[in-house]
Amino acid sequence: MLKVKLVKFDDLTEEEREIQPNNGWGKEYANYIKITDGAETLMVLSDSAEPEDATFNRDFKNVIKAIEMAYLKGLKDGKKLNK
């Protein structure tokens, strides 16, 4: 099942931590959106990006909701196609 979570640096695996961008104050202080399917990580997005003031907590929080809504809509549409 697809899951979308807002996580901190410490919630990432060691491998995921190593590949994150290190802009501004450092990747340890960034916020992350982690998209998983079961045990598999599909994507990790970081707010350690320009402009410096943008954060997932403040400006991009709706990204999580949009992805979840799109996923649920896809499930509904897929069920309609199978009928």
Side-chain angles (χ1 to χ4, degrees), residues 9-83:
F9 185 74
D10 291 339
D11 299 320
L12 301 175
T13 66
E14 189 173 325
E15 182 179 320
E16 292 165 345
R17 291 177 193 171
E18 290 176 12
I19 61 173
Q20 297 310 309
N22 196 11
N23 299 344
W25 293 100
K27 56 187 172 183
E28 311 70 39
Y29 303 106
N31 297 293
Y32 299 90
I33 292 176
K34 185 172 181 175
I35 303 171
T36 58
D37 184 14
E40 179 185 5
T41 298
L42 302 177
M43 182 183 299
V44 177
L45 304 169
S46 168
D47 70 357
S48 182
E50 302 296 337
E52 290 109 11
D53 294 334
T55 68
F56 286 132
N57 284 332
R58 188 180 65 215
D59 298 326
F60 303 137
K61 196 169 187 175
N62 288 332
V63 171
I64 294 173
K65 186 174 181 180
I67 293 170
E68 289 173 335
M69 289 172 56
Y71 175 69
L72 292 175
K73 174 129 178 69
L75 285 177
K76 265 181 158 174
D77 291 348
K79 288 179 183 177
K80 289 178 186 175
L81 290 174
N82 288 331
K83 287 184 178 181

